[in-house]
Amino acid sequence: MAGVTSSAAATGLTPLYVVPTEDRLQVAVPDDRPLLVEFDAVNRERLLEALGSSAVPSGRTSVRLGLEGPPATARTDVDDPSGRWLAASFIVDHDQPTIDALRTEFLASAASPATVRPSDLVAFVDRKVDAVQGQGWEPASQTARTLRGDCTEHAVLTAALARSLGVPARVVVGMVIVRPGTEYVTVGHAWAELRDQDRWTIADAALGPAAGHARYVPLGLLEDESPGFLLQLLDTLNAWVSRVVVLGPDD
């Protein structure tokens, strides 16, 4: 586990959880080719539900899935008429003064303030927030004040700044598979998704340069942003994975 943890640290990750990973390939699959992965599930049916129709059962407790490489985009779906992905909430509290101050700073540094590019926002949050391990889920306004946190704080702050700029944004919890050295590593992770026309685009300020080679495995959205949000996150554990096997290219 120490070796896996150090490999994850080499990417700049501050992981929620390091998932035991067996790399049967021993070489990197090019980003333009899908990567075939098998997950040993705590609850196979719940994992199949979380992963969607692309995932298939492969054993009594296992699920197989081909993961696309970058550029990372999320699911296509319709606009949310309620506007909830623009609203201020307990955890994504973009109506607070500390967020407003960061928003002003971002706009002053942006090459094109009239158009919010996800890559610019990701780079800004990555630059402003010091990565630390073991941080709890903090509201965006608190992270804007301390400028420190792990992947959850990066994700929540990215979502808050995007919403403050009129861009729908949400927080996703799941895993990422990266290859920082000679083998693949899987870690529990959180990231933001920003609405770009008819798609949700992954905006991962915690992963840094490694995000350009990451394979994302979303397991759930942070849909409950009230003070009871942790209860919904606990439900995500029902779809969690105990082991990952990297099988090779998914041709």
Side-chain angles (χ1 to χ4, degrees), residues 12 21 30 50 69 88 109 114 138 147 155-156 164 169-170 186 194 196 198 203 208 210:
T21 302
S109 66
E138 298 284 357
L147 297 177
V156 171
S164 76
R170 61 194 188 185
T186 308
L194 275 54
D196 184 11
D198 66 340

Side-chain angles (χ1 to χ4, degrees), residues 81-214:
S82 71
R84 62 172 173 162
W85 303 123
L86 282 169
S89 63
F90 172 78
I91 192 76
V92 188
D93 54 347
H94 65 76
D95 55 350
Q96 298 301 305
T98 52
I99 299 296
D100 189 55
L102 271 188
R103 173 183 178 274
T104 300
E105 184 178 345
F106 169 74
L107 288 173
S109 66
S112 178
T115 303
V116 180
R117 297 191 303 180
S119 58
D120 290 343
L121 195 55
V122 164
F124 178 78
V125 175
D126 183 22
R127 185 170 70 250
K128 294 294 294 184
V129 179
D130 290 333
V132 298
Q133 290 189 351
Q135 191 87 359
W137 284 78
E138 298 284 357
S141 61
Q142 176 68 12
T143 302
R145 183 178 300 110
T146 62
L147 297 177
R148 53 186 280 123
D150 58 21
C151 61
T152 60
E153 281 68 49
H154 285 77
V156 171
L157 182 58
T158 299
L161 284 171
R163 291 185 192 180
S164 76
L165 292 159
V167 177
R170 61 194 188 185
V171 177
V172 186
V173 177
M175 301 177 293
V176 292
I177 299 177
V178 292
R179 195 171 188 273
T182 59
E183 60 185 16
Y184 284 98
V185 174
T186 308
V187 296
H189 198 47
W191 60 91
E193 290 180 352
L194 275 54
R195 189 74 179 185
D196 184 11
Q197 298 181 5
D198 66 340
R199 295 196 68 85
W200 288 98
T201 299
I202 292 172
D204 188 354
L207 202 52
H213 304 281

Side-chain angles (χ1 to χ4, degrees), residues 38-54:
E38 185 171 82
F39 303 109
D40 285 343
V42 174
N43 181 330
R44 193 189 70 168
E45 298 310 312
R46 179 67 178 83
L47 179 60
L48 283 168
E49 178 186 350
L51 295 178
S53 59
S54 298

